[in-house]
Amino acid sequence: MLFRGWGESVDERWPDLATVADHVGVDHLVVTRHALVREVLADPDTWRPDNALDAVTPVPVAALRVLAGHRFRLPPTLANNSTPSHPAIRGIVAEALHPTRVAAQQPWLTGLVRQRVTGLAAALDAGEPVDLYAELAADLPLLVLARLVELPDAPVGAVKDFARAALELFWAPLHADRQLALAAEVGRFHTVLRHFAATGGGLAAALRADGHSADVVVGALFFLLVAGQETTSQFLTLLLHRLTAEPEVRAGLRAGTVAVADVVEEGLRLEPPIVTWRRVAAVDTTLGGTAVAAGTSVVLWLARAGRDPAVVAAPEAFRPGQRGSRRHLAFGAGAHRCVGAQLARMEAAVVVAEAAPLLDGVSVVRPPWCPDNLTFRMPDAFVVRRS
């Protein structure tokens, strides 16, 4: 799936480092080995995150005008922030997503998932197909996030549409007319975020109280709504789909011989929702013995690193608890490691524990389809029915 728009196959053998031209002819240094990916992530001074949110397809003037009309800006805030302001902003967000607060949401989430699973099981027993993305996974992370971080009062569907539009606008190969439509959708919701940033409570109020500008508050909310929930609903869908092909793992879950947490980690290793992340070389340097010029765009292939035979015993096998399983880089590493990692793990553990029994005796009617995207997998559906 990765690099589909770049004319490369993920199934071919790749070197540790490879220069690849993207769909608009820009060269990127693709890093595939676990040790080298981790080396880059651990050194944000040499390998800066400034390009993390740059549009993969340059945004045309007409779409830029639409965004400007909504006062759209993404200043250095979280993922794209190499300035001294990053630790303070990250600290405020981390406090909102503190593991203790996350753990306190588990009973509520378990009850909600259990209720949904009961309804889905009844539909399956009646011979009906069910979409485990739309009817189970799509909105769960957003609902949990809303309980942890006060969010704008907007319909769930509007937030989901905005998040997916943003992932497409900034990380997909696109035609100009599609960019224009996406810019209008992203811009409209950005206006909602800007109003909430000036008046809302919770995280927005905490950032304002710490002296951060309106643009920074909007940027933090933007990234949370995109990366803080959309990626988790993607992962839940991809993991459930993977488990349909792993009857021994499901049997181990039923028998208690396979730990839910180990299933989640192996899922993160093999089915991460974020397959790449970007950095830019700040200075002339070397990586793995290769000279890298300042300004080089670096694409860190996180998903490939998770299958590095130097790290994991059986790279292609879904074996929860195997050596190296937890050394994946699905959440990144270093100063910009995903601040919501514990939240995503908790949500996935609840869904695996409660929903895995749904997968016994089902056949896949429609597997998840993921559009061409450099970084995010964005499955659109996952339909099953009783065999």
Side-chain angles (χ1 to χ4, degrees):
M1 190 273 300
L2 177 63
F3 306 138
R4 192 168 65 210
W6 294 8
E8 298 283 347
S9 169
V10 300
D11 298 322
E12 296 173 355
R13 294 179 61 86
W14 280 70
D16 295 358
L17 300 167
T19 298
V20 180
D22 67 16
H23 62 293
V24 293
V26 175
D27 283 343
H28 304 265
L29 183 67
V30 180
V31 185
T32 68
R33 292 300 296 272
H34 184 281
L36 296 179
V37 171
R38 190 172 186 86
E39 179 181 335
V40 171
L41 291 172
D43 184 0
D45 295 323
T46 302
W47 312 98
R48 293 165 68 102
D50 301 13
N51 63 340
L53 306 187
D54 289 355
V56 171
T57 305
V59 181
V61 171
L64 288 173
R65 285 175 178 156
V66 170
L67 292 172
H70 291 283
R71 299 170 61 198
F72 181 91
R73 287 186 288 274
L74 283 180
T77 305
L78 288 169
N80 63 336
N81 194 353
S82 62
T83 76
S85 69
H86 177 253
I89 298 170
R90 180 183 173 87
I92 293 171
V93 177
E95 182 61 29
L97 303 180
H98 191 277
T100 302
R101 301 190 72 222
V102 167
Q105 300 304 316
Q106 185 168 342
W108 171 83
L109 179 61
T110 299
L112 176 59
V113 173
R114 192 169 291 169
Q115 178 184 12
R116 291 188 177 184
V117 166
T118 298
L120 291 168
L124 288 169
D125 291 342
E128 300 172 11
V130 299
D131 185 341
L132 294 179
Y133 169 72
E135 300 175 63
L136 176 62
D139 65 344
L140 283 179
L142 178 59
L143 297 177
V144 179
L145 188 64
R147 291 170 63 91
L148 291 166
V149 180
E150 190 172 332
L151 295 176
D153 186 15
V156 168
V159 178
K160 299 294 292 185
D161 289 345
F162 151 74
R164 291 180 72 90
L167 296 184
E168 187 179 353
L169 178 61
F170 291 102
W171 285 278
L174 298 168
H175 296 295
D177 55 348
R178 181 60 178 164
Q179 288 173 293
L180 191 61
L182 291 168
E185 185 162 0
V186 170
R188 282 193 297 270
F189 199 85
H190 195 268
T191 301
V192 175
L193 289 182
R194 183 164 292 281
H195 174 74
F196 183 78
T199 61
L203 177 63
L207 287 166
R208 291 198 308 270
D210 201 51
H212 297 287
S213 69
D215 283 346
V216 166
V217 180
V218 173
L221 292 169
F222 176 94
F223 194 73
L224 270 182
L225 287 175
V226 172
Q229 59 85 25
E230 186 61 33
T231 53
T232 307
S233 64
Q234 293 172 22
F235 174 56
L236 298 177
T237 305
L238 296 165
L239 179 54
L240 289 173
H241 177 244
R242 178 67 185 236
L243 287 174
T244 61
E246 303 291 343
E248 293 183 2
V249 174
R250 299 200 312 273
L253 286 168
R254 287 195 304 273
T257 57
V258 172
V260 168
D262 287 341
V263 171
V264 171
E265 296 304 319
E266 191 73 334
L268 287 164
R269 183 182 74 81
L270 284 170
E271 302 291 347
I274 299 176
V275 291
T276 71
W277 205 245
R278 283 176 289 172
R279 288 289 187 267
V280 60
V283 296
D284 291 341
T285 186
T286 60
L287 183 64
T290 298
V292 182
T296 298
S297 170
V298 178
V299 174
L300 305 173
W301 198 344
L302 306 178
R304 193 83 174 195
R307 299 177 185 228
D308 190 333
V311 173
V312 67
E316 302 301 325
F318 196 103
R319 296 181 183 172
Q322 70 167 309
R323 176 184 65 79
S325 178
R326 291 175 177 262
R327 292 181 61 193
H328 61 77
L329 297 171
F331 295 119
H336 288 270
R337 186 177 185 276
C338 176
V339 73
Q342 288 304 109
L343 176 58
R345 283 186 166 112
M346 183 275 286
E347 292 168 338
V350 169
V351 168
V352 168
E354 299 296 328
L358 280 177
L359 306 177
D360 293 334
V362 304
S363 58
V364 176
V365 176
R366 189 185 184 290
W369 176 81
C370 300
D372 194 359
N373 193 287
L374 172 64
T375 293
F376 299 93
R377 293 183 65 183
M378 298 176 63
D380 63 337
F382 172 36
V383 182
V384 298
R385 73 186 315 153
R386 285 274 181 252
S387 301

